[in-house]
Amino acid sequence: MTNPTTRRALHELDATELVAGYRRRDFSPVEVTRAVLGHVERWERHLQALYLHRPDRALEQARASEARWLRGEPLGPIDGVPLTIKENVATQGDATPLGTAAVDLVPAPADAPPAARVRESGGVLLAKTTMPDYGMLSSGVSSFHPLTRNPWNLARTPGGSSSGAAAAAAAGYGPLHIGTDIGGSLRLPAHWCGVFTLKPSLGRIPIDPPYTGRAAGPITRTVADAALFMQVLARPDPRDSMSLPAHDIAWTELERGTDRLRGLRVGLLLDAGCGLPVDPQIRAAVEAAARLFEQAGAIVQPMQPFFTREMLDGMDRFWRMRSYTDLCTLPPERREAVLPFIRSWADSAAGLSGDAVFRAASQFHATRLATVAACRAFDYVLSPTSPVPAFAAELPSPTNDPLRPLEHIAFTVPFNMSEQPAATIRCGTTSDGLPIGLQIAGQRFDDLGVLQVARAFELLRGPQPAWPQPPSEALDHVD
């Protein structure tokens, strides 16, 4: 009997299907890697999602994995699975430009924790993925990398700062991708590219260097693949001072069906409290998702906004000052290489007093307190991920205004500061074919619960649009 996974091209298979196929010897990691590399070759000149794309090294890793599978000795749950890693996650011997032409390209002395876990488990690293300057934009605009585009519409942004990772996931550059998130940089591009992600509880996936609110996480096409990847990534590492202790979490226990939603107290947040207004199509898609939760037995109640303009502006001012301080350490020629939008944003902090910076910094804790208090009455919270759909690829932010650069993160950034897990999963499509993402946030440390609820919604939402394919030569253009 023909295995159902063989009816689809190898590059289309999920990570869970690949591992099962390797175990049955239906195909090998070398065959899969070659298939994915061929697919990447057809896509990449359109998307520009990759950094350090080295097919020969990927095939070398795939051959080593193939030998392990033939011996029946895979290194871990993702052995032989093609994947990418965001370029700000250090890989030994590779430069880490942080998306900007201003950084000296010095080889990293060691793998950062997520990259180390991937290698220990036998994952096949296809390439690193692009990001904007210093990760401070929700777009694919960079002074170092070429402009990264959205595979659903090449004229639109994939979002950021995990720009290349989300674009690669949607385009099928292998099933597993690692991104990072300090204010929405996993969830926003997942929303704009129609893929799944989990921003875990702070410290669940160790990262180096650690920073307030900063998390690494999986970007995938399915919830099951993210859960599989969490088995690998969610292991303690002493280099992260906020790394959580080891927990025995049954990451792959997802198949509880839609019964998982019965009786849950679910908050519905449709107004972030500040920032850009929610696009009517996005609001309608999130409301429709909430109705599916209700039909499955969840108790859905509206939430009042808890995030304020003072909180958002305080974070903005503090991050401006941090960036201004960093840029002031650069030689003039290096500083000039930074994206002008970022320079203008950072320079606006030059006149801030110590008192103003202190008050700005205080908003991080104020946000944490407000978010935890607002979520206390609920098991999970549903909201839009972003108030707007994917915008023009060339713009650094939806407003294109360095004095109003963060107006789109009001739904996402509170959960970075409260350290709560939050996922994004596609819940709809705009009239012009762009994805819409639903954010699902849970209580702190309930990462598995968020995955289970997301899986239940994945079952409820029904069939989704076919994944985008590389443009044919006859249709090789952007809108």
Side-chain angles (χ1 to χ4, degrees):
M1 184 179 214
T2 302
N3 189 282
T5 61
T6 62
R7 297 172 192 163
R8 293 170 26 228
L10 291 179
H11 72 264
E12 296 176 326
L13 299 183
D14 300 331
T16 54
E17 295 171 321
L18 291 179
V19 172
Y22 296 157
R23 190 170 288 114
R24 293 189 302 264
R25 300 193 181 181
D26 292 342
F27 40 75
S28 77
V30 173
E31 292 174 286
V32 170
T33 300
R34 283 181 176 147
V36 173
L37 288 171
H39 186 65
V40 169
E41 185 176 354
R42 292 187 289 274
W43 253 127
E44 179 58 10
R45 69 186 184 88
H46 303 284
L47 294 184
Q48 302 290 339
L50 300 183
Y51 168 62
L52 298 180
H53 178 38
R54 297 178 289 208
D56 290 346
R57 291 195 188 186
L59 286 168
E60 181 181 348
Q61 296 168 55
R63 283 190 285 270
S65 174
E66 181 178 71
R68 291 191 293 269
W69 279 107
L70 289 173
R71 295 194 305 268
E73 300 174 352
L75 287 177
I78 62 166
D79 201 332
V81 177
L83 54 86
T84 72
I85 299 176
K86 187 176 177 181
E87 65 104 315
N88 67 339
V89 177
T91 47
Q92 186 176 26
D94 297 326
T96 308
L98 304 178
T100 178
V103 170
D104 287 323
L105 299 182
V106 178
D111 286 333
R117 302 295 88 79
V118 162
R119 293 198 205 272
E120 293 163 2
S121 294
V124 174
L125 177 58
L126 296 174
K128 307 291 285 290
T129 50
T130 60
M131 60 183 283
D133 287 53
Y134 299 106
M136 292 309 298
L137 297 176
S138 294
S139 76
V141 179
S142 164
S143 63
F144 180 83
H145 302 294
L147 178 64
T148 305
R149 297 181 179 273
N150 190 321
W152 293 98
N153 183 329
L154 297 176
R156 301 298 181 98
T157 185
S161 63
S162 302
S163 315
Y173 288 21
L176 302 178
H177 309 270
I178 297 175
T180 62
D181 188 315
I182 199 170
S185 290
L186 283 162
R187 290 156 290 159
L188 291 165
H191 155 75
W192 287 316
C193 289
V195 292
F196 179 77
T197 194
L198 172 69
K199 181 207 73 67
S201 299
L202 186 71
R204 180 70 72 200
I205 297 176
I207 195 165
D208 183 29
Y211 192 82
T212 301
R214 185 176 186 230
I219 299 179
T220 60
R221 286 182 168 186
T222 69
V223 178
D225 275 3
L228 176 71
F229 213 3
M230 289 298 291
Q231 293 183 69
V232 172
L233 299 175
R235 299 174 187 169
D237 192 296
R239 291 174 289 174
D240 186 343
S241 59
M242 293 178 277
S243 173
L244 296 177
H247 288 98
D248 186 14
I249 298 173
W251 290 110
T252 57
E253 287 190 6
L254 297 178
E255 296 305 332
R256 296 175 59 180
T258 59
D259 285 345
R260 179 66 174 82
L261 305 182
R262 190 169 302 280
L264 291 181
R265 299 166 300 161
V266 175
L268 177 60
L269 182 66
L270 295 172
D271 179 356
C274 59
L276 294 171
V278 177
D279 180 279
Q281 294 185 82
I282 292 176
R283 181 185 179 100
V286 171
E287 288 176 327
R291 287 194 292 273
L292 291 178
F293 273 73
E294 285 185 315
Q295 291 165 16
I299 303 163
V300 179
Q301 296 179 316
M303 290 178 68
Q304 294 302 308
F306 55 86
F307 191 53
T308 67
R309 170 57 60 183
E310 185 179 12
M311 293 172 185
L312 181 61
D313 286 349
M315 292 183 195
D316 184 13
R317 290 190 189 101
F318 182 84
W319 282 331
R320 288 174 197 240
M321 179 55 79
R322 184 190 71 174
S323 296
Y324 175 70
T325 302
D326 289 343
L327 295 189
C328 284
T329 67
L330 297 175
E333 66 277 8
R334 290 283 184 184
R335 196 174 189 282
E336 286 300 310
V338 175
L339 198 73
F341 186 96
I342 294 293
R343 292 205 313 270
S344 297
W345 173 72
D347 286 346
S348 67
L352 288 179
S353 66
D355 177 70
V357 174
F358 172 78
R359 284 187 280 107
S362 299
Q363 295 308 311
F364 289 89
H365 188 61
T367 299
R368 177 191 180 95
L369 295 178
T371 307
V372 170
C375 296
R376 189 173 294 128
F378 304 103
D379 299 306
Y380 301 95
V381 171
L382 307 180
S383 77
T385 299
S386 165
V388 294
F391 50 95
E394 294 80 8
L395 297 182
S397 75
T399 61
N400 195 27
D401 181 352
L403 299 182
R404 297 175 58 245
L406 304 182
E407 298 297 301
H408 56 290
I409 71 169
F411 284 109
T412 53
V413 72
F415 298 108
N416 292 81
M417 300 311 132
S418 67
E419 305 181 12
Q420 294 171 242
T424 284
I425 186 169
R426 186 170 184 162
C427 68
T429 305
T430 66
S431 58
D432 53 354
L434 296 172
I436 297 172
L438 171 72
Q439 181 172 246
I440 304 172
Q443 296 292 335
R444 191 179 179 205
F445 307 132
D446 189 22
D447 304 73
L448 178 58
V450 170
L451 288 172
Q452 290 173 337
V453 169
R455 173 56 181 157
F457 178 71
E458 192 175 43
L459 295 170
L460 284 173
R461 69 182 181 175
Q464 296 296 295
W467 293 103
Q469 296 301 316
S472 67
E473 293 302 318
L475 299 174
D476 185 14
H477 67 278
V478 295
D479 294 347

